[in-house]
Each structure stands twice: as C-alpha cells, then as structure tokens.
Amino acid sequence: QVQLVESGGGLVQAGGSLRLSCAVSGRPFSSHGMGWFRQAPAKERNFVAAIRWGAGTTYYADSVKGRFTISRDNAKKTVYLQMNNLKPEDTAVYYCARTTRGYDRAVSAYDDWGQGTQVTVSS
C-alpha cells in the first residue's frame, strides 16, 4: 500500500491556472497507474486524467482534454496535474489515486486515494 498526499489546490479566476501535485510514498511500480478524479458537491466522483507510471502514456476525460496535462516525475515520485484555462465547472475536490491495473477510468479500479484538495474557480 502507498500513501498519496495532494497539494496545490486553491481559488482562481476563470481562465487562470493551477498545478496540483501528488506525492507518492513507497515505491511505485512501472505496471501501476496514477489517476486524478474530482468530485463536486452532491455529485459522483469522476475521472479526470490518468498516466501509466512506467510508459508515461496519458489519458483524459473529454471535458478537460486540451486544457489539463498529467505528468509524473519518477525521481520525485510525484504526479502532477497542470490545469489551464480553468472554468467554474472545474470547481471540485480533486483526488489523486493509484491503480495496479496500469490504466482505468473507473473509481472502483483504484486501491489507494489521497485526502483531496479543493479547487474553486470563480466566474
């Protein structure tokens, strides 16, 4: 089991940018995948982006494609989510998570979760 700690959330105006970080304790395996999910009040937790730890292949939800970029730094054992051109509908708690499946969009596929970081986009 690994521990995940997110940081970087905050309040930003529409059109602005934020970068979220997820520090991974323990040793991520190349076969594992990391994902970012978000959950708005009274809504389900939804997939945002994912990356295969070993190959670095990335995947995005249609709603963020072209605006968000997921990346990882092997040496720092950290996963990032660069969010540009933010919109009010991006407001949510953002969670980092790990799956042993390499890549998946389903919440149920992820075994370890961070505590979440709030992102608020004002109009």
Side-chain angles (χ1 to χ4, degrees):
Q1 189 173 5
V2 299
Q3 288 188 326
L4 310 174
V5 179
E6 302 102 332
S7 61
L11 173 64
V12 64
Q13 289 188 331
S17 299
L18 282 174
R19 188 177 80 157
L20 305 183
S21 299
C22 173
V24 183
S25 69
R27 178 177 175 271
F29 292 94
S30 60
S31 60
H32 293 176
M34 299 296 297
W36 286 98
F37 290 77
R38 65 187 181 186
Q39 187 167 18
K43 293 192 176 180
E44 294 183 346
R45 191 171 297 187
N46 291 321
F47 171 80
V48 174
I51 186 167
R52 293 183 183 268
W53 192 271
T57 311
T58 58
Y59 309 86
Y60 297 95
D62 289 343
S63 59
V64 306
K65 200 172 295 183
R67 299 189 298 124
F68 290 12
T69 302
I70 187 172
S71 62
R72 52 102 170 86
D73 184 321
N74 286 335
K76 294 183 178 180
K77 295 192 295 182
T78 300
V79 178
Y80 303 98
L81 185 68
Q82 177 66 44
M83 305 185 294
N84 298 329
N85 190 21
L86 282 161
K87 305 176 181 180
E89 52 263 42
D90 294 319
T91 295
V93 177
Y94 283 71
Y95 296 91
C96 173
R98 182 190 70 99
T99 179
T100 58
R101 300 186 184 184
Y103 160 65
D104 207 296
R105 294 181 179 234
V107 170
S108 59
Y110 288 77
D111 305 300
D112 301 293
W113 293 83
Q115 81 287 354
T117 185
Q118 176 71 46
V119 171
T120 302
V121 184
S122 62
S123 57

